[in-house]
Amino acid sequence: MKKIFTFSFLSVLLLQSCSFLEQNKFIETKVISSDLNEQIIYKFYHTGINNYKVDFYSVHQSDSTKLFEHFIKDAVFSSNPYTISQSQDEIIITNQLFSKEKKLITRNGKSIILTNR
């Protein structure tokens, strides 16, 4: 009886520590920019009732680097939340929910500017 209890207890502890139980529901991936050296993408995840998480990545060959993450509500998600413009080496991502302007530079030298203007 003690062995069964110990085994059950350890099984429950193992299941609680597994990350697959806490994964967010993946919705879609959108490509923002693509050239021979690098792709800039973002992925939408449903994290709960009326909540979404957006992860922005730089992808080069089979290597990806997470640039930043952003959380949005349902109303913003359904109204195309980002306005994206780009020139040769610069991408400007606009959303009214960004609190201040940020500038990131990817490994391949592309500038990513987050702004609320």
Side-chain angles (χ1 to χ4, degrees), residues 95-107:
N95 182 308
Q96 294 301 318
L97 301 175
F98 291 136
S99 58
K100 58 184 176 180
E101 187 170 296
K102 287 184 188 178
K103 186 173 183 178
L104 307 164
I105 298 178
T106 66
R107 278 190 269 171

Side-chain angles (χ1 to χ4, degrees), residues 75-89:
V76 176
F77 173 75
S78 29
S79 67
N80 195 10
Y82 302 103
T83 303
I84 299 167
S85 60
Q86 60 182 323
S87 62
Q88 190 171 356
D89 287 330

Side-chain angles (χ1 to χ4, degrees), residues 20-93:
F20 73 87
L21 296 174
E22 299 176 10
Q23 287 183 350
N24 299 319
K25 182 180 175 189
F26 174 74
I27 298 175
E28 68 179 321
T29 298
K30 292 188 178 185
V31 177
I32 296 173
S33 170
S34 182
D35 59 29
L36 294 174
N37 296 324
E38 173 178 54
Q39 280 188 330
I40 306 298
I41 64 171
Y42 62 99
K43 296 181 178 188
F44 283 106
Y45 298 91
H46 189 242
T47 59
I49 298 173
N50 296 328
N51 293 313
Y52 296 88
K53 179 178 140 187
V54 185
D55 290 335
F56 286 79
Y57 290 92
S58 167
V59 180
H60 176 68
Q61 295 175 350
S62 63
D63 184 32
S64 66
T65 303
K66 186 173 181 178
L67 300 172
F68 68 96
E69 64 184 25
H70 188 231
F71 293 92
I72 57 176
K73 299 286 182 189
D74 190 42
V76 176
F77 173 75
S78 29
S79 67
N80 195 10
Y82 302 103
T83 303
I84 299 167
S85 60
Q86 60 182 323
S87 62
Q88 190 171 356
D89 287 330
E90 184 176 80
I91 297 174
I92 300 172
I93 302 170

